[in-house]
Amino acid sequence: MKVLKFGGTSVGTTQRMKDVVKLIDNGEKKIVVLSAMSGTTNALYEVAGYLLKKNTVGAHETISALEKKYYKHIDELFTTEKYKNLMSEFMKKEFDYLRSFTKGVFTSFEEKIIVGQGEILSTNMVYNYLCEKNANVSMLPALDFMRTDRNGEPDSIYIREKLTTLLKADPDRDIYITQGFICRNVYGEIDNLQRGGSDYTASLIGAACDAEVIQIWTDIDGMHNNDPRIVDITEPIHHLSFEEASELAYFGAKILHPTCVQPAKYANIPVMILNTMDPTAQGTTISNKTEHKLFKAVAAKDNITVVNIVSSRMLLAYGFLRKVFEIFESFKTSIDMVTTSEVGVSVSIDNDTNLDAILSELKKFGTVRIDKNMCIICLVGDLDWENEGREAIATEAMKDIPVRMISYGGSNHNISFLIRADDKPRALQVLNEKLFLIQNK
Ligand code: ASP
Ligand code: MG
């Protein structure tokens, strides 16, 4: 079994839906996970936002605008009267349902139901389009098998059991269509896996049915080794390990959510990132294999603030770091990079909402200094410490750029430099030249 996930832009127009169908209707057995058409989930959050503020007029207007678009989609997608009628009835029911929320109480419980309707719409459109074309297709409602446990984490045992039962009950299909993003919580109420959660759905399904591969179809040809908006020549990375992919996802590559690949990683199922606009391109394969290529990619994280605390009390003292970290914790501010010396510690944060309060607490412990408008440059690759000289190559490449902090040794795959945001374009460019265009050749 293969699992294929198509994101919002890949099903964003009826033409794109037709392209998706061309890709999936090839006789191979697969589960297809679909996001909502791009823009729909945002519109549904807008509706919910109006209703939470008791503005029913706003909600009605947004629902009507969405409804108009979807009726147009039916006209464009379907050719037979039978399916046009069937889908018009379906849309009528769906939009009546959405409007029913404008009456009565509206809480976050109802909000969860509303924002999940985008996936119900997109999957029904693609499913019925496949039926119209006489494909051997079946619908697997995500709400029948996707569930979280009492900690709000996916309940993988339940998911596996339910999915297996559903597949056994209808075993001879080529294509099973299901919704990304939506699930039930431990009480059976409708919930979701957070914004962008369809990748997570695909990864969970892949693990639950022991898929041979999980394909994430988007509109770029995989992850690139540098930021194409800044650097002229970047290349798609053909292979990454799960660890490298997580580091990159965290440090700025917006293609995959860092936690999404975890179920695939534990089940040892390769995840491929492929391009619907160029389906034959190689894309990026993420697996448990580490490729012994020195440097794989560079990513940058912006809007970083560095906080430096120097205290003679740190000298030979224990518990100092704990006290410092507790202050950040109490203001729900997570720390990205840390460097220490015998008398001081520097940490970086990407959320300075509570900075003033944090600083005033820290000043009880020592002299505090901050640097704003900084950026983290993260280099990912095979950086096992026992392979001598690797960190030297990275620092040598950065030799003309003022470096505020360096972090190395936190994992075997990463070295990070903290620099001024103004120096970011120059740093990305120089790393590209020295590490990819020369070093790796
Ligand atoms: N439709 C949801 C969202 O926009 C889930 C997804 O696209 O992955 O967040
Ligand atoms: Mg998405």
Side-chain angles (χ1 to χ4, degrees):
M1 185 76 90
K2 289 183 177 177
V3 176
L4 284 74
K5 178 256 171 180
F6 294 88
T9 46
S10 302
V11 291
T13 62
T14 45
Q15 184 53 49
R16 302 296 298 273
M17 283 186 172
K18 289 180 188 174
D19 295 342
V20 166
V21 164
K22 269 191 215 131
L23 270 169
I24 62 180
D25 194 12
N26 59 0
E28 274 179 3
K29 227 174 165 54
K30 56 177 75 70
I31 298 178
V32 176
V33 179
L34 300 180
S35 290
M37 296 179 85
S38 55
T40 299
T41 311
N42 286 345
L44 293 169
Y45 270 102
E46 197 179 294
V47 171
Y50 279 128
L51 292 177
L52 285 169
K53 293 191 185 76
K54 302 197 184 350
N55 177 353
T56 46
V57 177
H60 273 291
E61 273 170 16
T62 311
I63 294 173
S64 297
L66 207 55
E67 183 179 37
K68 216 166 132 192
K69 273 196 208 158
Y70 275 88
Y71 275 105
K72 196 162 159 264
H73 293 327
I74 299 179
D75 248 6
E76 293 163 354
L77 191 58
F78 296 93
T79 44
T80 62
E81 279 312 304
K82 179 183 162 198
Y83 276 92
K84 280 186 199 259
N85 290 338
L86 193 135
M87 285 309 287
S88 296
E89 265 168 50
F90 166 80
M91 287 297 167
K92 180 167 182 331
K93 269 201 208 124
E94 263 296 310
F95 283 93
D96 283 350
Y97 183 51
L98 281 177
R99 286 199 179 87
S100 72
F101 290 94
T102 61
K103 302 173 190 106
V105 282
F106 194 86
T107 65
S108 61
F109 172 79
E110 282 79 21
E111 175 176 44
K112 296 266 174 61
I113 303 177
I114 286 203
V115 300
Q117 296 307 309
E119 274 71 13
I120 303 283
L121 290 165
S122 64
T123 48
N124 272 283
M125 286 168 68
V126 171
Y127 167 75
N128 280 295
Y129 180 63
L130 280 158
C131 289
E132 190 183 48
K133 291 174 72 78
N134 289 319
N136 185 17
V137 60
S138 165
M139 179 80 99
L140 289 175
L143 297 180
D144 290 354
F145 66 88
M146 196 49 79
R147 196 172 84 165
T148 54
D149 62 18
R150 55 188 70 255
N151 301 317
E153 296 295 326
D155 186 340
S156 48
I157 296 168
Y158 179 95
I159 297 168
R160 175 181 280 267
E161 264 175 33
K162 283 284 170 180
L163 187 62
T164 312
T165 311
L166 288 171
L167 290 171
K168 266 198 191 135
D170 190 12
D172 299 322
R173 304 293 183 170
D174 294 336
I175 308 170
Y176 299 88
I177 303 274
T178 191
Q179 298 84 21
F181 181 54
I182 54 174
C183 63
R184 289 187 189 275
N185 65 17
V186 71
Y187 308 109
E189 298 160 348
I190 293 179
D191 205 339
N192 60 63
L193 298 170
Q194 315 279 330
R195 292 307 307 264
S198 299
D199 290 346
Y200 204 11
T201 305
S203 182
L204 289 163
I205 291 179
C209 71
D210 303 313
E212 61 192 91
V213 65
I214 298 161
Q215 298 179 347
I216 306 286
W217 288 84
T218 70
D219 49 6
I220 27 171
D221 52 355
M223 286 205 190
H224 274 237
N225 63 357
N226 208 324
D227 189 337
R229 291 165 303 183
I230 293 175
V231 173
D232 300 335
I233 308 163
T234 68
E235 283 173 6
I237 316 164
H238 294 314
H239 187 269
L240 281 172
S241 68
F242 283 114
E243 287 78 11
E244 290 167 339
S246 302
E247 303 262 17
L248 278 181
Y250 180 68
F251 280 100
K254 294 249 157 36
I255 304 173
L256 273 183
H257 192 277
T259 57
C260 285
V261 290
Q262 292 305 328
K265 174 178 151 65
Y266 294 132
N268 198 5
I269 299 168
V271 175
M272 295 177 79
I273 300 168
L274 296 164
N275 187 0
T276 25
M277 309 291 262
D278 185 7
T280 53
Q282 190 178 346
T284 301
T285 302
I286 306 165
S287 74
N288 275 330
K289 272 187 248 139
T290 302
E291 203 183 34
H292 294 288
K293 197 168 182 183
L294 197 43
F295 292 104
K296 285 292 189 58
V298 181
K301 198 169 185 207
D302 298 320
N303 298 319
I304 303 292
T305 299
V306 177
V307 182
N308 171 243
I309 308 112
V310 173
S311 167
S312 51
R313 277 199 268 163
M314 188 172 168
L315 205 65
L316 304 173
Y318 51 82
F320 178 79
L321 286 177
R322 179 178 57 76
K323 286 181 195 133
V324 168
F325 289 155
E326 262 174 8
I327 293 171
F328 287 90
E329 186 188 343
S330 67
F331 290 99
K332 295 195 165 49
T333 299
S334 75
I335 292 171
D336 285 332
M337 271 173 79
V338 183
T339 54
T340 63
S341 83
E342 200 44 63
V343 291
V345 51
S346 285
V347 303
S348 79
I349 56 174
D350 66 355
N351 170 4
D352 58 9
T353 321
N354 295 313
L355 187 60
D356 290 341
I358 291 172
L359 294 181
S360 83
E361 286 299 310
L362 286 173
K363 281 178 184 158
K364 294 176 187 161
F365 293 99
T367 313
V368 182
R369 209 188 98 199
I370 60 164
D371 294 294
K372 289 197 165 201
N373 302 321
M374 308 293 282
C375 138
I376 297 176
I377 303 285
C378 159
L379 260 164
V380 163
D382 182 14
L383 287 155
D384 192 315
W385 71 275
E386 294 199 80
N387 297 325
E388 69 282 357
R390 304 213 155 169
E391 69 287 3
I393 296 169
T395 43
E396 166 69 21
M398 291 286 284
K399 75 177 191 308
D400 294 326
I401 293 171
V403 174
R404 171 72 181 78
M405 283 164 74
I406 299 178
S407 178
Y408 170 70
S411 81
N412 281 337
H413 319 281
N414 161 291
I415 179 165
S416 296
F417 296 92
L418 204 137
I419 62 169
R420 268 188 222 114
D422 287 346
D423 290 329
K424 170 178 144 178
R426 199 155 62 97
L428 291 182
Q429 192 67 49
V430 83
L431 288 170
N432 211 48
E433 278 157 25
K434 296 198 179 151
L435 301 184
F436 302 137
L437 301 180
I438 304 169
Q439 192 77 41
N440 275 339
K441 296 287 155 190

